[in-house]
Amino acid sequence: MDIHIPLPRIKLLNPDFPNKSTGIINGLSSGLLNWNDIAYPQMYDLYQTLLSNFWKAQEINMQDDIKQWDLLSATEQDVFLRINTQLASLDSLQTPTMCQVMDYVTDSSFKAIFAVIAQQEAVHNESYSYILSSLVPINEQKERFNQAKNDPIVRKRNELILDAYESFRENPSPQNLFQLGVNSINLEGIYFYAGFAFFYHLARQQKMLKTSTMISYIQRDEMQHAYFMAQFLRILLTENPELNTEANIEYLYTSVGQAVQLEKEWAHVILKDIEGIELSEYEEYTEYLANKRLRQLGLQNLFKERVNPMPWIHIFSDEMMNETKSDFFEQKSRTYAKVTQSNGFDEL
Ligand code: ZN
Ligand code: ZN
């Protein structure tokens, strides 16, 4: 396989092929999905977990936040709106990207999971609009969404992700699929957190709790998406050793490192006037997150190993909301050799 040649766009139905796909890409697959006959049965559990998280924005009544909105300082309001639309702009990329990947992945069970993720991204996107429409008039909503589009620092940090996503759109090759997966982890597993931290910071002062509830649902989804994408990449590299190269492992570390750097820069801009969030602490938190993502990929820590430096974020995390799944995300650091088919699955 040449990892730079575009993958074929898969026909909807190939009756001559088996239902259980012979590969996640370039596999023989009929296109029929029977969840009882799939190559990676653990994907069914992941699919179920994603579905059990189902929620929608309108379930959360914004009345309390509407009353509290005027009590926020002008700075808090400004940062609140900027972060809200910046998060919306990140989620806007995810829905179409996840849908596009479905056309090139041969395994139908993976297609189904990408479809659920795309649906959840659409809900996230809607929830940011819902929060905004509860708090400010339509003209300001529009202005804020335009601000997110034009903000140079937002653009700069989105570029890392956009480059990878656009490359896959132009040339849906295995190599570009790998890079898309890495940057999806950057987006869902690292980029959201300065924004989340701000809302949780308000919540610990008993402010805007409805917004924080919504944010914690989004976070729960994102952590599972990032986890799924890590599993997807591991399988991709195991099934396609041509991709499991030193250069690609290097790409992974470099790209996660860049995402950390860009996230720190963004935090310094957006959180600089917010009292009570220590930026140095947030920097450590970003590194802590990056290590966690790399371990999910079966790789080593890129940064110093530390305990969660912002335990108050943990209170709102899915580990706390969903105790039974706590070890789903907590994985031990291991020595990295090469990604193999079996590593990690015992922890699913
Ligand atoms: Zn999302
Ligand atoms: Zn996501």
Side-chain angles (χ1 to χ4, degrees), residues 192-301:
F192 279 121
Y193 281 79
F196 290 167
F198 171 72
F199 292 117
Y200 296 150
H201 176 64
L202 289 181
R204 61 175 179 161
Q205 304 164 60
Q206 298 298 307
K207 292 176 185 168
M208 307 303 277
L209 291 172
K210 302 297 179 191
T211 300
S212 278
T213 301
M214 234 175 295
I215 293 293
S216 67
Y217 292 163
I218 294 173
Q219 182 185 352
R220 186 175 60 183
D221 291 346
E222 297 307 354
M223 287 189 80
Q224 305 228 349
H225 299 173
Y227 180 83
F228 164 72
M229 202 46 103
Q231 299 308 314
F232 176 81
L233 286 179
R234 291 170 85 145
I235 296 169
L236 185 71
L237 296 197
T238 304
E239 287 188 356
N240 302 280
E242 304 93 321
L243 284 170
N244 198 359
T245 59
E246 264 176 44
N248 271 347
I249 301 306
E250 192 53 47
Y251 174 85
L252 240 159
Y253 283 116
T254 309
S255 150
V256 169
Q258 278 176 321
V260 165
Q261 195 48 43
L262 288 162
E263 175 68 7
K264 288 177 181 174
E265 272 181 36
W266 165 245
H268 275 271
V269 172
I270 198 71
L271 301 175
K272 67 176 192 310
D273 299 321
I274 302 300
E275 262 173 55
I277 301 183
E278 280 301 323
L279 285 170
S280 58
E281 215 170 70
Y282 184 72
E283 292 201 346
E284 288 179 7
Y285 185 73
T286 315
E287 295 179 359
Y288 159 86
L289 281 177
N291 283 344
K292 200 161 160 168
R293 303 301 164 225
L294 288 165
R295 290 200 305 272
Q296 285 178 340
L297 284 156
L299 301 177
Q300 288 171 337
N301 288 339

Side-chain angles (χ1 to χ4, degrees), residues 69 81 132-144:
W69 177 247
L81 297 172
L132 214 58
S133 68
S134 310
L135 302 174
V136 294
I138 183 69
N139 282 342
E140 186 163 6
Q141 294 167 36
K142 287 186 186 170
E143 198 183 301
R144 290 294 180 162

